[in-house]
Amino acid sequence: MTAPEIDPVVESTAADIAEMRIRGAATIADAAAEALATQARRTNVTDPEAFRAELRVAARTLYETRPTAVSLPNALRYVLRGMAGETVSQLQATTIEQAEVFQRDLADAQATLGEVGANRLRDGDVVMTHCHSTDALACIEAALEAGKSLEAIVRETRPRNQGHITASQLREWGVPVTLLVDNAARRYLDQVDHVLVGADSIAADGSVINKIGTSGLAVCARERGVPVMVAAQTIKLHPDTMTGHTVEIEMRAEHEVVGDHERTEIGTEPDDEDLQVENPAFDVTPPRHVDAIVTERGQFPPESIVTLMRDLFGETTGEPWEP
Amino acid sequence: MTAPEIDPVVESTAADIAEMRIRGAATIADAAAEALATQARRTNVTDPEAFRAELRVAARTLYETRPTAVSLPNALRYVLRGMAGETVSQLQATTIEQAEVFQRDLADAQATLGEVGANRLRDGDVVMTHCHSTDALACIEAALEAGKSLEAIVRETRPRNQGHITASQLREWGVPVTLLVDNAARRYLDQVDHVLVGADSIAADGSVINKIGTSGLAVCARERGVPVMVAAQTIKLHPDTMTGHTVEIEMRAEHEVVGDHERTEIGTEPDDEDLQVENPAFDVTPPRHVDAIVTERGQFPPESIVTLMRDLFGETTGEPWEP
Amino acid sequence: MTAPEIDPVVESTAADIAEMRIRGAATIADAAAEALATQARRTNVTDPEAFRAELRVAARTLYETRPTAVSLPNALRYVLRGMAGETVSQLQATTIEQAEVFQRDLADAQATLGEVGANRLRDGDVVMTHCHSTDALACIEAALEAGKSLEAIVRETRPRNQGHITASQLREWGVPVTLLVDNAARRYLDQVDHVLVGADSIAADGSVINKIGTSGLAVCARERGVPVMVAAQTIKLHPDTMTGHTVEIEMRAEHEVVGDHERTEIGTEPDDEDLQVENPAFDVTPPRHVDAIVTERGQFPPESIVTLMRDLFGETTGEPWEP
Amino acid sequence: MTAPEIDPVVESTAADIAEMRIRGAATIADAAAEALATQARRTNVTDPEAFRAELRVAARTLYETRPTAVSLPNALRYVLRGMAGETVSQLQATTIEQAEVFQRDLADAQATLGEVGANRLRDGDVVMTHCHSTDALACIEAALEAGKSLEAIVRETRPRNQGHITASQLREWGVPVTLLVDNAARRYLDQVDHVLVGADSIAADGSVINKIGTSGLAVCARERGVPVMVAAQTIKLHPDTMTGHTVEIEMRAEHEVVGDHERTEIGTEPDDEDLQVENPAFDVTPPRHVDAIVTERGQFPPESIVTLMRDLFGETTGEPWEP
Amino acid sequence: MTAPEIDPVVESTAADIAEMRIRGAATIADAAAEALATQARRTNVTDPEAFRAELRVAARTLYETRPTAVSLPNALRYVLRGMAGETVSQLQATTIEQAEVFQRDLADAQATLGEVGANRLRDGDVVMTHCHSTDALACIEAALEAGKSLEAIVRETRPRNQGHITASQLREWGVPVTLLVDNAARRYLDQVDHVLVGADSIAADGSVINKIGTSGLAVCARERGVPVMVAAQTIKLHPDTMTGHTVEIEMRAEHEVVGDHERTEIGTEPDDEDLQVENPAFDVTPPRHVDAIVTERGQFPPESIVTLMRDLFGETTGEPWEP
Amino acid sequence: MTAPEIDPVVESTAADIAEMRIRGAATIADAAAEALATQARRTNVTDPEAFRAELRVAARTLYETRPTAVSLPNALRYVLRGMAGETVSQLQATTIEQAEVFQRDLADAQATLGEVGANRLRDGDVVMTHCHSTDALACIEAALEAGKSLEAIVRETRPRNQGHITASQLREWGVPVTLLVDNAARRYLDQVDHVLVGADSIAADGSVINKIGTSGLAVCARERGVPVMVAAQTIKLHPDTMTGHTVEIEMRAEHEVVGDHERTEIGTEPDDEDLQVENPAFDVTPPRHVDAIVTERGQFPPESIVTLMRDLFGETTGEPWEP
């Protein structure tokens, strides 16, 4: 059997995910499903086993681009689970259809989640956001569509200032926005009715892994008596954590924090080794600082999310591309 | 009596304070005392009452540049309280001498405070800093001089990144530095032995007014079991707060947070009024989140600082430039 | 098809619920089931579709009397779910039987719940109650029947003083009672082994909606180290909250708080609009202040009740009277 | 020496205090000082020692009417401390003058305290009150006079509904009032900027003894992130507590809680001994739930009030009427 | 029917459990299953009903030795549930096989649980232990096998010093150990990454019943920001607690705490009745002080464990030996 | 000048303190004062300067035996401060008299402190103790003498079991005692009205340094709503801590924790270096977990003790034996 041939679309998708041209959990999941469907559609193999091997290699190729983006393996698992049949054409058809189902459900998921989250918001509420999350924004959008009037206090979210994207979207929807540096959040919490954030992934112990700065915000919100709501599609539930795995936190490039010139000014020599810059992309918020996780399957206290995780993904933890 | 004549040095000092070319509480206090001494030295008046009026106007000129910089009125009060005598030359001499005493004590204050703070640090400790405070750094410097080895985790302190100044100073002293965005602080708190910050001012109810972001850091430190130490010379004790006055928080320019171009990208129109940028310079940390305030008079629980305040400044609250 | 004809019993039951002559969650649920059974029994229609329409209108009539009384829709859902068959007489029989099953289970539910709750109480315990809840009292009754000796501290529960009903029932059972104004509760918490309350409804995020004053009591109980136990049949689990809906809090009449004479004395004019009286019937206790929810299906931490809710009611949230 | 002769004014004042016709700490203190002055003015004795004995008996007579009203012994101590001289007429003069000073200072105290407290309130703030305290109201009055606009949420304060008096006063001043049953407080705390209460007395360990229900409110306010401010003149600082004495809590009549008819309905027999009604007048709020104590000497964290207490009253704890 | 004949192995196993020669939950469960298998293997009866009766009596004999050791009834339930068939030889075969399955699964359970727990531990972590738990040690062992380097701080665990066993096992594995008296734990918590304990049993309300001292350690760990991990096979989930039963805490012999000589020295007379020694074997840690429960079925927040309990054991609570 | 000659009594006292034959803060202070008086009484020198040198060397000899026993330097400071005069006989007289005053005050101090502490205890209270403190016991003794009936729950206080001494003393006074291992404390806290402990020393930041295990008990007491009372004479206030010095914690011998035999059994080899035993004598309880510090000068919140410290000892921190 010759080596599996990977379609250029899979490779370009993998590259786009790796370099964050494709980003956001749902976008990644959608792209990954689409890539697998393309691989299935364009295959040249004639042997069913070779087809399966090709799809597995494609899945692994995609998977390895960003292991902390939990929606990616979930998408791959879902599509590969649907790959069934005895001939190549059957395998093609089932894989493609499964990918389509996944993509359709994925779009509905955010809309449904938005409805659920919107139900928690009342007319006149002030919402504080962190980073940019389309799941969180879907809750606001659904509330606006239901005729509720909202205001937003938006943290800029250093180092990449994704709060600017959130602010821009909210302004397009006509939501009055107050933009803050992250440091100013606690000072404004007494004007806030909800802290609303998304999630990079959610662990079986109820922890929420989200953009760096979320956990400090949640701790302050608890101290100020403000409820914290996490909006996250079920593609964010991290199946590996059921078996105790911790979510590896991506460490990002130093230059997001300081440019070369600033670094040189700060250090005692051009390449000062005792001046470290740590730039973790995410942090971990324990469940006791979160009031509700809003998914397209309804809302849950974070301590109960493990039950939903087990219902959806079972207890198996092997990789789907292992034969 | 003609209008009092203000010396150009007073005016340039006032301008430098207003525009933050002179900054840091001790530096401001020192410059203010120096400016008053200069005013006294260069006066052209021959009438004692005119001298007093001139000094009062000079003091008020300096005072009005930055009312939240509490060291400024303290310096002015201190110098004017020493203005005594019946002739202009007596008034000159006493005022100049009082300013000199104040300036000398001021320099000693930071060194003494540093010794006190250093005593709380043990060899091998890791210290997390916020913003740039020479009082806080004095504690680290004294500890280093006592032969203790320290490491520092430095928050960059948006929006003005004064953490870079702190980091640079620490590197000069050979302290290994890890630089973080402010959002990353909670993630690193379990490696930290002390949170060490300065103070812009300290209120009679034990609250610490300091650079925006301090209160959120203190809340997280308490949650993580890390003690919080505030280094502040007694010039930071805000006498107005004894009578319940709250410290007015300076709101700084929007462009420290977003530039014109970013603002335009975020808003829905060039001058989008529903896009507000709030940029408070300071926030308020309640005493229950602070473990000790370190001053040149020793260390105090924040709930006891009012006693020191009353010992030093009495209960009077009138302005010193009022006749 | 002519307009459905509603039986007078349905209408009188609806009126009794609306005007609180029928009150208490189980009593309402029982009456609603009985009313539907009567509607089914006395129908004049001969067409199966007309029968179904009639029952749906009857259910909606009952439902609209008190939307916050969660047991009402649960009862209606349960009975209508059992309406099956192809002829009117089959539909009659199944609906009537389903209502009987519901009513029988309902009676057992409280007894079973009482056994479960009683198991948490030890001989000699002191229980603090709020408002009047037959579910909570069932726990005490079962404990007494098991030979345990208990004492009770009873809050009067302004504005309607339902604590008096609780106290009276406990005295009938021979339980020594100490009656307190609501304000005195914290002072006596150090003598208390359990805070025991019922629930108006329970939300999917683990919140307990119960008589106004419950949440303040729960916060104080946590601060004093006293466990809080909520006794609630599963008819109190609010299915709408699974999709994020918040429970609308009934605002009750001002004259429960102040009479006309008092109002006039307080206000500056007979109809002083700047003197508002707010009289919410219920408040919301977050799950972190509750130790256990006791149901006829066993006890649960509040954070897990969503799982029971999903087991019992599934994920569907449409109204049962919609065709 | 014949038995001291007590003036009828002393006796009627004592009776008025005992039966709460004179109430409120400042009013009691003022009346007690006035009574001592009257005793001194109208004395018939000619022997200095007899004068002193008479005043001491008068003081003790007044003192024993209401030992928990801490302002009473403070007033008596203050006046008797001023009784000096070698002749009866000197003793008369000094005692009367000391009483006048005390009374004058007392009136100023509330006004000064009001200024201090008002400084903590900002324009637009919402204040929640408990019971009726003229010290607390003085803070609001001073804020209104300073041009600040305030709103109030007023707890009715069972069992005696003194909140109605507060509400009525606030309405006279034009403050919009929302009146609540005590149970509803926590539900409205997220709209509140300050909890503002008075104090019956304040203990050396920083505890605040105030109207029953205060401590539960303070616990909930801390949980919701709302600061708690206690307004109390220094006549409320309980000197006995410096030596560890706890403040005895007055237990008031049952019929404030339930009338005869209600009691009979609740109990199992007319004089049901196992139905107790406990009606404590006050409770104890620990210092960690209070943010500031506002006095006419300035504001203090509750943990520092002992220092003020020692400054004002010294360390002596003997009764002033002991020779 | 003659009285059932109990095999000597059952009786010696019962005695060994009672006298703690057999101890540790898994060891007890294994021995109990083995004893039932032996009973089945060696039976002399020929009547199926007599066989069943014999097995039930054997189970009850074993059960009554230590009712708080929850693994015992779980093992008995499991084996008896498998006893099926119509002839004695069928009953023998099924019972023996079920016991074997149980024993095999039991061994795997600890290994699987160890893998799950190990995934929570990172290379270089410091773990604090309490008492001796093979489940907790399995997590450490699996982490070591995965190449992680760990250190341990071991509490001696008065009164029986089982911490010495833990320390000895850890030293065998080459883990550096710091041994402490129990009192010293809080002082060392800032060096600790995980508190890791086993469980005697786990209740449906999420409480963890474990060796006396666990709950105080968990409270301190929460205060210091250290996560608490409980390692417990599912045989520790206490099915009785689903119906509200509390776990009876075994009170152990006084001489574990003080010997006869010490007691005599302390008391005022040889048999001083007012000198009590209380020696509870276990205490109860509420779920809010525990971060994760690690089982062979994965990890769970303590508030969700009731769901697993219901999945595994259903809602039935009758004793398995009841016909 | 010849080397100062140290009296054998000073040397034997120093030895007794070092080897803990003399222990307890007051006993140490008394012995130290007595030793200095003896040195003064028996001196052979004839030169005043030699006398002073001799006393200083004696003080330093005593001081160096146990630097963490704060009463020791306080006693030495107090006595040496009184050493005044121009001749040896004057110096002798003043030193001896000052020592006598100190010793007399010291005895009164405990009795006075006992009265203060007793005032916090009510008839019928249950007190939990840790270690053995005569200051704490003085509070109980005074309460008993005032006719109050008390019960005690006594922690044994590993590793040295000083709780046995406490229990024995309480039994002599007729107080019913329940003795517990330290691990069992939290389980019994809901029966406790006061945690009552002594202090080894008290720091300027309000921290209480006391027998290892105190801080964990205080944390649990706060969590259970039980007030914590520290009984400590002012000789325990550690003057060095005013300048930020931390109190060095004495590390005691390993064999208090494990004997040679046990150590060998635990370790992997006779002298296993990776088996460390840490045996700190004391730990540090932060002020937020302590409700009151009871001294012979009255009671104080721990956050205010610095004020008392400054009143008694001023701000000077030089050693008294420095010329």
Side-chain angles (χ1 to χ4, degrees), chain D residues 292-303:
Chain D
I293 298 177
V294 167
T295 78
E296 79 275 15
R297 300 288 182 131
Q299 68 170 339
F300 294 82
E303 294 87 351

Side-chain angles (χ1 to χ4, degrees), chain B residues 150-201:
Chain B
L150 300 175
E151 291 181 42
I153 299 180
V154 173
R155 295 176 98 196
E156 62 174 10
T157 320
R158 278 278 290 162
R160 288 165 56 75
N161 289 345
Q162 296 99 326
H164 293 187
I165 310 172
T166 297
S168 181
Q169 177 63 82
L170 290 168
R171 289 303 304 126
E172 266 183 42
W173 291 338
V175 175
V177 164
T178 302
L179 184 69
L180 301 178
V181 296
D182 305 301
N183 277 324
R186 184 173 175 276
R187 183 160 176 82
Y188 290 83
L189 274 170
D190 62 356
Q191 303 173 18
V192 170
D193 297 297
H194 301 268
V195 167
L196 170 57
V197 296
D200 190 70
S201 63

Side-chain angles (χ1 to χ4, degrees), chain A residues 115-116 119-120 222 291-292 297-301 303-304 307-308, chain C residues 204-206 241-246 288 303-304 306-307 310 315:
Chain A
E115 299 286 339
V116 174
N119 287 334
R120 286 182 67 96
R222 176 67 78 237
D291 290 83
R297 301 286 183 132
Q299 68 169 337
F300 294 81
E303 294 87 353
S304 268
T307 305
L308 180 63
Chain C
D205 64 2
T241 60
M242 287 194 289
T243 45
H245 286 284
T246 52
R288 67 185 173 278
E303 293 89 352
S304 269
V306 66
T307 305
R310 293 165 65 89
E315 298 190 20

Side-chain angles (χ1 to χ4, degrees), chain A residues 205 241-243 245 303 310, chain E residues 119-120 297-300 304:
Chain A
D205 64 3
T241 61
M242 288 195 289
T243 45
H245 286 283
E303 294 87 353
R310 293 165 66 89
Chain E
N119 286 335
R120 286 183 67 95
R297 301 288 183 131
Q299 68 170 338
F300 294 82
S304 268

Side-chain angles (χ1 to χ4, degrees), chain E residues 200-243:
Chain E
D200 192 67
S201 64
I202 293 178
D205 64 3
S207 299
V208 173
I209 293 86
N210 194 40
K211 182 62 52 185
I212 192 76
T214 301
S215 76
L217 176 58
V219 168
C220 290
R222 176 66 78 235
E223 190 243 0
R224 296 277 88 188
V226 181
V228 176
M229 173 175 163
V230 173
Q233 298 175 45
T234 58
I235 49 167
K236 304 292 188 69
L237 306 179
H238 207 310
D240 288 356
T241 60
M242 286 195 290
T243 45

Side-chain angles (χ1 to χ4, degrees), chain C:
Chain C
M1 198 168 92
T2 57
E5 201 173 317
I6 297 306
D7 192 90
V9 160
V10 170
E11 280 170 352
S12 69
T13 302
D16 287 353
I17 293 171
E19 291 159 36
M20 293 191 69
R21 285 188 295 274
I22 292 175
R23 73 175 170 205
T27 310
I28 288 171
D30 184 72
E34 180 65 37
L36 286 188
T38 304
Q39 177 74 37
R41 202 176 289 118
R42 300 194 189 168
T43 188
N44 294 318
V45 302
T46 51
D47 172 59
E49 202 45 49
F51 181 89
R52 283 194 195 90
E54 215 174 76
L55 265 288
R56 279 186 205 119
V57 172
R60 171 171 296 195
T61 302
L62 292 160
Y63 172 73
E64 283 167 357
T65 55
R66 241 185 118 191
T68 64
V70 69
S71 68
L72 185 52
N74 282 338
L76 301 173
R77 277 168 205 269
Y78 189 93
V79 175
L80 289 198
R81 268 198 350 233
M83 176 172 66
E86 298 185 357
T87 67
V88 166
S89 65
Q90 283 173 344
L91 287 165
Q92 280 183 297
T94 53
T95 304
I96 292 166
E97 193 198 335
Q98 180 83 344
E100 283 169 1
V101 168
F102 180 81
Q103 289 175 288
R104 206 177 325 123
D105 286 357
L106 194 58
D108 290 354
Q110 191 166 77
T112 307
L113 173 159
E115 299 286 341
V116 174
N119 287 335
R120 285 182 68 95
L121 305 176
R122 291 159 305 174
D123 188 35
D125 276 353
V126 178
V127 173
M128 181 177 280
T129 65
H130 185 70
C131 198
H132 174 246
S133 153
T134 55
D135 284 348
L137 285 173
C139 300
I140 294 177
E141 189 177 23
L144 297 172
E145 280 169 4
K148 295 173 188 173
S149 173
L150 301 174
E151 291 182 42
I153 299 180
V154 173
R155 296 177 97 195
E156 62 174 10
T157 319
R158 278 276 291 164
R160 290 165 55 77
N161 287 347
Q162 296 100 323
H164 293 189
I165 310 173
T166 297
S168 181
Q169 177 62 82
L170 290 168
R171 288 303 304 125
E172 265 182 45
W173 291 337
V175 176
V177 165
T178 301
L179 185 68
L180 302 178
V181 296
D182 305 301
N183 276 325
R186 184 171 175 278
R187 185 160 173 80
Y188 289 84
L189 273 171
D190 62 356
Q191 304 173 17
V192 170
D193 297 297
H194 302 268
V195 166
L196 171 57
V197 297
D200 191 68
S201 63
I202 294 177
D205 64 2
S207 298
V208 173
I209 293 87
N210 194 40
K211 182 62 52 188
I212 191 77
T214 302
S215 76
L217 177 58
V219 169
C220 290
R222 176 66 78 237
E223 189 242 1
R224 296 277 87 189
V226 180
V228 176
M229 172 176 162
V230 173
Q233 298 175 45
T234 56
I235 49 167
K236 304 292 188 68
L237 305 180
H238 208 309
D240 288 356
T241 60
M242 287 194 289
T243 45
H245 286 284
T246 52
V247 177
E248 200 186 340
I249 300 298
E250 182 191 346
M251 298 302 293
R252 296 182 54 83
E254 173 184 311
H255 64 74
E256 288 181 3
V257 180
V258 281
D260 290 347
H261 180 65
E262 282 166 302
R263 196 192 206 289
T264 307
E265 280 190 341
I266 296 168
T268 44
E269 48 195 74
D271 192 23
D272 184 349
E273 288 193 356
D274 278 337
L275 175 64
Q276 299 288 330
V277 178
E278 296 275 337
N279 186 18
F282 307 107
D283 64 13
V284 181
T285 305
R288 67 185 173 278
H289 298 309
V290 173
D291 290 84
I293 297 177
V294 167
T295 77
E296 79 275 14
R297 300 289 182 130
Q299 69 170 337
F300 294 81
E303 293 89 352
S304 269
I305 208 75
V306 66
T307 305
L308 181 62
M309 207 179 274
R310 293 165 65 89
D311 286 354
L312 294 174
F313 304 110
E315 298 190 20
T316 67
T317 57
E319 302 301 348
W321 35 85
E322 289 163 5

